[in-house]
Amino acid sequence: MFQQQLIQGLAIGSVYGLIGIGYVLIWNAWGVLNFAQGEIAMIGAFSVLMIHVWLGIPILLAFPLAILLSMAIGYFIEITSFRPLVKADNTRKLIATIGIGIFLRNLYRVIFGADPYPFPTIFGDTPFQVGKLLIIPQNIWSLAIGFGLVVLLGLFLKGTTMGKSMRATAQDREAALLMGINVKGSLSMTFILASGLGAIAGMLMAPMYFVMADMGVMMGPKGFAVAVLGGLESMTGAMIGGIVLGILESLGAAYISSAYQSAIAFFVLFIVLVFKPSGIMGSKM
Amino acid sequence: MRHLYKKYKVILILIAALLLPVFVDNPYALHVANLAGIFAILTLSLNLLTGCTGLFSVGHAAFYGIGAYTSAILTVKLGLPIWAGFIAAGVVAALFGLALGLPTLRLRGLYLAVATLAFGEIMYQVFVNWEAVTNGTKGITGVPAPQIGPFLLNSYRSYYYLILVVLVVVVVLSQNLIKSRVGRALLAIREDQMAAEAMGVNSTKFKVIAFMSSAFFAGIAGSLYVHEVRFLSPETFISAESAAILAMMVVGGIGHIPGSILGGIALTVIPEYLRSFGDLRLVLYGASIVIIVIFVPRGIGGAIDFVDELISGTRSLKKTKQRSRVKEV
Amino acid sequence: MLKRSFALAVVLVMIVSLFAGCSQKPAEGTAEPIKIGTVGPLSGGAAMVGDTQVKGIQLAIDQFNEAGGIHGRELVLIQEDDEQNPAKSVSAMNKLVHNDNVIAVIGTVNSSATLANMEVTKEAEVPQITAISSNPKITLAGNPWIFRLQASDTHQCEAIVNYALDELGLERIAIMYQSDDYGTGGKDVAVELLQARGIEPVAVEAYDPNAKDMTAQLLKVKEGNPQALIMWTMYQQGALIARQARQMGLSDVVLMGGGGLTNAKLYELAGDAVVGLLNSQTFFPDKENASPVAKEFIEAYEEKFGMLPDSNAAMSYDSMLILGEAMKAAGPDLDNVAIRDAIAATTNFPGATGVINIDENGDANRDMLIIGVTGDGGYEVVWQPE
């Protein structure tokens, strides 16, 4: 059972990780924790629900379309709520994201109703056996996509001009401005990218966990914890943080108590922070 | 005129607060007023920790809950008198404040925030699952109404006065704390901990003081809550509540005492006011938080300061216009 | 500066108007509508239940109004959201009772919220019916103003446990429950009942009501090699558990639960994984085999809302019917004590959820059915008392 629990932990962990990566991106560029990242994932799930299930567009096309739709919505959020706060201090930005989260999940509930929507499985959810272990294809895809995105994003950020502008802006906004970098554009781009990531996370969650306005509520704080656990500096860190949290939850439920499942995970998180105050992969402050 | 204003403005506000229940008859309004008072106290407590000392806490509902449960358990299960439960609520919460403050001394900024988030989550799970002590999700019923001498405070109106008294006491204590050497040390730590330490400030001691006093007041608020609603269950202390309290502090004005009170009142009253908007209530609530944060940069407290300065004559509109002409870099 | 003053002014206006608005007296006039209040979770994780509660009540109200109202007056429903939170439920109830001056309240859904808010109606002496809360404590608190239409956890659990042990002859039973008042209540009763029969459950696992992934708990359940899994949860998580149970290799285990699982959506969400799932119910959601009252209700509900009702909708409907009849019996001045007594005296009332008798505690316990999900997603009666 131990190995099976590990695998299950890996599966949910990769979803946490994807959301955590969104946190890291926005943190590094904007200096703010987007507590509405869970809702961004929810928007992604609804986007693909509308495009694939309601409009009937085949999944291969629906996926990228949904990502674009989510990015557009993300851009809209950025203009209305983040841009005005560019010069504000971090605590105010954080509270704004909390307000945005409340706004979005209730807006979607009013529009789409409170009932969950089923979503057809994309990657297959019947498990196949490897020895004594049951592996669900969906979960492998989550992991693969998660790490794949980390690699792709890394290449994008280091290799392309746009990516380099984003990194420069994140490192030192004033210097970037002086260098002639389009700071506004880079900031927007970072947000759009993070929205796309969140959307992908949501789309991976949709077939597993149904689509409902409330689906981001748990993901928000967990994504935050995961990003910080990973050190807030690297996307790989966030991914690893996500997996660690997922495994902690699984094993905690299995061997200690299912009722205290998330408490155990958070307790270990707490201990880690006490002993390594800058997170698992963070550098010294 | 301005002289009188400066001298008597606090007394005027107090008189208005005392007279509120005389003019407002409706138990619903009084109940909301009581909740507003309780959240004002909570926001003040968080302000001590996050606003004044810069220790970012996203798990404050935990202390609120610890105070509430201590009070409820002592009065309902052990039959102790209410004032004992009240004091114990603050003390036990303060002890937990110590328990959280000590291990997290080395943590800064966001890492501390996550640690407090973890603490909040853990406490919530304990409230939910430790049924032997907290009754878990079934809740504790039959919490008695407070009795002060011959007065049985079993109506929202009478309880209002108790909350008002406690609020005033908390405000006075907070003000004194902030104006004292302790308060200056806390502010120094907020601005630059290393510099403060270089000046000889024992940051460990003061951080712990911040945690404990903040937790104490939050615990007191928890006790007040329990005797207002007369029922206690864990859902009141989910991490969304901690986020709400943080929002109240920011909306009110970070580090600002009147601001914290107004922030607590505003974010308690607004969702109730929005009930007339039916289904859109929470949509508008979320939007109102964003709007206030964007358009009122120094929080409601800052806006009040502005009005206050205008009236007292320490600021004139002309100067403001000149200042705003300077372009921001 | 303008922005700041503007925002400040808005906040001040809102605060003042809240308090001012509260003191307004309703306008005097002839044929003033009768206000009925309802509290429920209209947002958050249980919003779908709050939603069906409102729909059930509204259908009954519309039917009363079409028949000319009660005492010549139209009925009007005022709904408030309590976000599943007991403290907010108290606020919502206060508003309904003291601000809107409703005649009676139907609500709320979550037992802990009901336990909190029934203090308000007790204090104000306003009749309250909870259609959906299932915690036994509600009617045992010595509060004469609260009534309950849902079959309590004790009844529902007894029915399903007895069926498992007596009719199916099972011995190895696992329990999974959502860690809130609903799930914990059911779990407590189930464990007690099993132990009273000398059986120890092979696994008892909890999960967060908002959790999406219960595979860790299911793996532990699997270790116990159960024959049946009783899940005390709502249909949304029931669907998740059913699917994940299949994925974890628990396909041969009989899935069972209480009323919370009954909903057409269950099959829609989980598909084949829930075929054969059994639960205890008073309301049988199938037009073909339902009682005449239930059949009419299902048809009317479907026509009005475009979807099939579940038991929560049915119980909310019945609550309003009973309240309406009580208001009729109380006479045109709608005295609160008269209404309360009329509700308490309800006997042999033909409701959509069965024949209802209100007992001395205010409970409406009646015969439980065991229903099962059929291969095409419909329901069939698997067992009923003689």
Side-chain angles (χ1 to χ4, degrees):
Chain A
M1 178 172 87
F2 175 73
Q3 290 139 312
Q4 188 69 50
Q5 292 281 20
L6 263 183
I7 294 182
Q8 296 312 124
L10 264 169
I12 184 88
S14 46
V15 176
Y16 290 154
L18 272 173
I19 303 205
I21 296 179
Y23 272 94
V24 170
L25 267 180
I26 296 187
W27 165 254
N28 278 307
W30 288 79
V32 65
L33 287 168
N34 181 13
F35 261 38
Q37 198 63 16
E39 273 65 46
I40 306 276
M42 181 266 295
I43 291 176
F46 267 101
S47 303
V48 73
L49 178 76
M50 289 190 284
I51 297 178
H52 176 54
V53 174
W54 295 355
L55 292 181
I57 297 179
I59 192 70
L60 278 178
L61 188 55
F63 229 63
L65 279 177
I67 296 182
L68 285 173
L69 176 58
S70 311
M71 285 181 168
I73 299 179
Y75 182 58
F76 180 72
I77 297 176
E78 191 246 325
I79 304 182
T80 53
S81 321
F82 274 70
R83 198 86 61 91
L85 289 172
V86 151
K87 307 220 168 38
D89 66 68
N90 292 344
T91 330
R92 275 175 62 214
K93 289 187 192 137
L94 177 69
I95 300 301
T97 67
I98 292 178
I100 294 170
I102 297 177
F103 174 78
L104 285 172
R105 75 178 93 101
N106 283 288
L107 183 68
Y108 269 71
R109 175 182 51 84
V110 169
I111 298 176
F112 293 101
D115 254 332
Y117 289 92
F119 193 90
T121 170
I122 318 173
F123 302 115
D125 63 355
T126 6
F128 56 89
Q129 278 210 272
V130 174
K132 275 207 321 182
L133 296 175
L134 293 161
I135 315 251
I136 303 165
Q138 172 86 49
N139 294 340
I140 302 195
W141 280 96
S142 296
L143 256 178
I145 291 179
F147 276 106
L149 277 173
V150 170
V151 170
L152 273 174
L153 274 172
L155 287 173
F156 172 77
L157 287 174
K158 297 215 174 97
T160 65
T161 325
M162 170 79 75
K164 288 190 210 170
S165 312
M166 283 167 61
R167 278 170 59 221
T169 313
Q171 251 182 2
D172 191 333
R173 198 176 296 169
E174 292 194 354
L177 193 62
L178 288 171
M179 295 302 240
I181 291 179
N182 179 0
V183 166
K184 269 210 187 130
S186 298
L187 286 175
S188 290
M189 224 18 237
T190 319
F191 202 89
I192 293 175
L193 212 59
S195 302
L197 271 174
I200 296 178
M203 288 185 250
L204 285 172
M205 287 199 280
M208 293 197 280
Y209 306 136
F210 310 139
V211 179
M212 48 195 290
D214 226 44
M215 65 195 284
V217 153
M218 283 241 103
M219 295 297 164
K222 288 200 178 164
F224 165 49
V226 152
V228 172
L229 183 63
L232 266 184
E233 284 167 29
S234 75
M235 298 184 291
T236 325
M239 203 60 205
I240 293 182
I243 291 177
V244 166
L245 184 68
I247 293 182
L248 278 175
E249 281 188 349
S250 260
L251 294 181
Y255 293 106
I256 309 181
S257 153
S258 54
Y260 280 103
Q261 185 179 28
S262 47
I264 296 167
F266 275 107
F267 183 70
V268 175
L269 175 63
F270 187 82
I271 301 284
V272 167
L273 281 173
V274 168
F275 287 104
K276 195 164 196 301
S278 43
I280 294 184
M281 280 185 66
S283 47
K284 278 284 165 121
M285 299 222 288
Chain B
M1 210 20 220
R2 285 191 172 150
H3 246 30
L4 288 172
Y5 171 77
K6 273 196 209 180
K7 256 184 115 178
Y8 295 113
K9 61 184 172 187
V10 176
I11 299 191
L12 283 174
I13 296 177
L14 270 177
I15 294 182
L18 279 170
L19 287 179
L20 185 96
V22 174
F23 292 106
V24 177
D25 211 4
N26 188 319
Y28 168 58
L30 287 169
H31 173 68
V32 175
N34 288 346
L35 285 178
I38 292 174
F39 275 102
I41 296 176
L42 261 176
T43 314
L44 277 170
S45 77
L46 181 62
N47 185 42
L48 266 178
L49 187 62
T50 303
C52 298
T53 322
L55 292 171
F56 209 134
S57 170
V58 199
H60 217 62
F63 297 124
Y64 180 39
I66 291 169
Y69 271 103
T70 308
S71 206
I73 293 171
L74 288 181
T75 48
V76 175
K77 291 202 177 184
L78 298 180
L80 290 180
I82 293 187
W83 59 264
F86 186 70
I87 309 250
V91 171
V92 173
L95 287 174
F96 274 87
L98 178 67
L100 178 59
L102 276 180
T104 56
L105 284 171
R106 284 196 301 163
L107 296 175
R108 310 279 175 86
L110 284 175
Y111 301 93
L112 176 64
V114 175
T116 57
L117 179 75
F119 177 72
E121 268 297 313
I122 295 171
M123 283 319 301
Y124 171 70
Q125 294 288 341
V126 169
F127 295 148
V128 168
N129 292 301
W130 200 13
E131 291 186 26
V133 168
T134 65
N135 271 9
T137 47
K138 292 186 251 323
I140 300 181
T141 50
V143 179
Q147 180 129 23
I148 301 192
F151 298 107
L152 179 66
L153 305 176
N154 66 351
S155 74
Y156 292 144
R157 167 178 285 141
S158 48
Y159 201 58
Y160 172 90
Y161 289 108
L162 178 62
I163 295 184
L164 185 60
V165 167
V166 176
L167 177 61
V168 170
V169 169
V170 172
V171 170
V172 169
L173 288 176
S174 306
Q175 286 270 41
N176 288 343
L177 190 66
I178 292 185
K179 292 199 182 139
S180 73
R181 276 183 56 234
V182 176
R184 286 200 291 277
L186 296 180
L187 283 168
I189 294 176
R190 178 184 80 181
E191 294 308 315
D192 191 333
Q193 185 168 328
M194 283 201 285
E197 278 171 5
M199 302 275 257
V201 171
N202 181 349
S203 70
T204 304
K205 169 171 139 192
F206 287 108
K207 275 183 172 179
V208 167
I209 291 181
F211 263 107
M212 288 182 75
S213 48
S214 168
F216 181 82
F217 290 131
I220 298 278
S223 179
L224 286 174
Y225 164 77
V226 151
H227 294 289
E228 164 79 5
V229 176
R230 311 269 203 94
F231 172 84
L232 181 63
S233 75
E235 295 91 334
T236 315
F237 311 109
I238 48 180
S239 45
E241 261 331 87
S242 293
I245 303 172
L246 190 63
M248 288 175 193
M249 190 197 74
V250 172
V251 158
I254 304 177
H256 200 281
I257 290 191
S260 296
I261 301 176
L262 288 170
I265 294 178
L267 289 189
T268 306
V269 166
I270 291 179
E272 289 298 321
Y273 172 81
L274 290 174
R275 282 189 188 280
S276 43
F277 289 88
D279 223 5
L280 289 176
R281 184 173 72 107
L282 291 173
V283 179
L284 292 173
Y285 174 61
S288 64
I289 293 180
V290 179
I291 292 175
I292 295 182
V293 166
I294 291 180
F295 290 105
V296 192
R298 285 194 300 152
I300 301 181
I304 297 282
D305 272 350
F306 181 78
V307 172
D308 181 65
E309 284 166 13
L310 267 183
I311 301 182
S312 330
T314 47
R315 176 201 284 266
S316 89
L317 291 170
K318 269 209 274 181
K319 283 198 210 143
T320 316
K321 278 198 189 133
Q322 277 179 343
R323 238 184 271 156
S324 64
R325 277 213 218 111
V326 175
K327 257 216 164 127
E328 287 185 22
V329 172
Chain C
M1 179 211 118
L2 256 179
K3 290 180 188 169
R4 270 189 255 158
S5 325
F6 174 69
L8 177 67
V10 168
V11 171
L12 280 176
V13 164
M14 289 203 279
I15 294 181
V16 168
S17 62
L18 170 70
F19 290 116
C22 292
S23 325
Q24 271 168 13
K25 296 277 181 268
E28 294 292 325
T30 50
E32 197 190 302
I34 301 179
K35 293 190 267 188
I36 312 277
T38 175
V39 193
L42 300 175
S43 68
M48 50 234 172
V49 185
D51 191 49
T52 46
Q53 179 181 242
V54 169
K55 289 188 159 83
I57 300 173
Q58 190 66 59
L59 181 63
I61 285 185
D62 289 345
Q63 289 177 347
F64 274 116
N65 284 340
E66 272 156 37
I70 293 185
H71 301 302
R73 293 162 68 182
E74 194 195 347
L75 296 176
V76 133
L77 181 65
I78 305 185
Q79 37 178 300
E80 288 298 336
D81 177 18
D82 70 2
E83 300 172 47
Q84 257 183 304
N85 184 309
K88 302 194 179 163
S89 211
V90 170
S91 296
M93 186 64 89
N94 263 294
K95 173 173 181 285
L96 286 172
V97 166
H98 294 293
N99 215 40
D100 301 315
N101 299 302
V102 297
I103 290 289
V105 180
I106 299 182
T108 175
V109 169
N110 300 83
S111 295
S112 54
T114 305
L115 283 168
N117 71 25
M118 65 191 215
E119 295 299 319
V120 180
T121 44
K122 175 173 159 193
E123 181 86 23
E125 299 191 345
V126 170
Q128 177 181 354
I129 304 181
T130 172
I132 299 171
S133 292
S134 56
N135 191 310
K137 270 213 285 192
I138 290 172
T139 41
L140 296 174
N143 180 339
W145 294 92
I146 183 91
F147 299 92
R148 185 230 308 271
L149 224 74
Q150 168 81 278
S152 76
D153 280 332
T154 324
H155 266 69
Q156 296 186 34
C157 224
E158 249 174 22
I160 194 77
V161 168
N162 289 340
Y163 181 79
L165 297 177
D166 299 329
E167 302 292 326
L168 294 181
L170 302 175
E171 283 173 344
R172 292 198 309 281
I173 311 215
I175 302 176
M176 274 179 70
Y177 63 103
Q178 60 187 51
S179 59
D180 68 359
D181 48 345
Y182 174 60
T184 325
K187 179 260 304 177
D188 285 342
V189 174
V191 170
E192 221 180 280
L193 287 171
L194 285 171
Q195 285 172 340
R197 301 270 292 245
I199 299 183
E200 200 58 46
V202 303
V204 181
E205 299 298 325
Y207 51 88
D208 191 289
N210 284 318
K212 309 283 183 199
D213 194 301
M214 278 69 87
T215 49
Q217 286 86 345
L218 282 165
L219 283 170
K220 280 176 87 173
V221 161
K222 193 175 171 191
E223 295 265 299
N225 197 11
Q227 295 165 305
L229 171 62
I230 297 182
M231 21 185 208
W232 215 256
T233 187
M234 294 298 301
Y235 59 91
Q236 174 231 344
Q237 274 179 315
L240 282 170
I241 295 177
R243 282 194 356 184
Q244 291 166 5
R246 266 241 171 133
Q247 290 172 346
M248 293 293 108
L250 286 162
S251 319
D252 292 330
V253 177
V254 181
L255 298 173
M256 322 178 131
L261 291 173
T262 320
N263 192 302
K265 276 255 158 180
L266 182 70
Y267 181 74
E268 210 184 297
L269 293 170
D272 283 340
V274 288
V275 173
L277 180 147
L278 302 166
N279 58 265
S280 50
Q281 225 356 300
T282 53
F283 170 66
F284 182 60
D286 187 311
K287 281 186 277 200
E288 303 308 312
N289 300 309
S291 69
V293 182
K295 180 167 175 203
E296 261 178 57
F297 163 68
I298 297 175
E299 282 172 351
Y301 191 95
E302 216 182 353
E303 196 190 315
K304 187 173 170 79
F305 298 115
M307 56 170 102
L308 282 172
D310 65 358
S311 56
N312 291 329
M315 276 185 272
S316 309
Y317 176 77
D318 279 352
S319 302
M320 187 60 226
L321 284 185
I322 290 182
L323 177 60
E325 294 305 317
M327 292 197 295
K328 283 189 192 167
D333 33 277
L334 295 175
D335 174 59
N336 53 341
V337 177
I339 297 179
R340 180 199 70 184
D341 291 341
I343 299 175
T346 305
T347 355
N348 287 329
F349 182 86
T353 60
V355 175
I356 300 174
N357 292 286
I358 303 281
D359 70 12
E360 69 274 5
N361 289 327
D363 265 313
N365 296 315
R366 45 215 183 285
D367 283 338
M368 304 287 321
L369 310 165
I370 305 286
I371 61 180
V373 181
T374 58
D376 57 357
Y379 279 99
E380 61 180 354
V381 177
V382 166
W383 181 89
Q384 51 193 321
E386 267 86 76

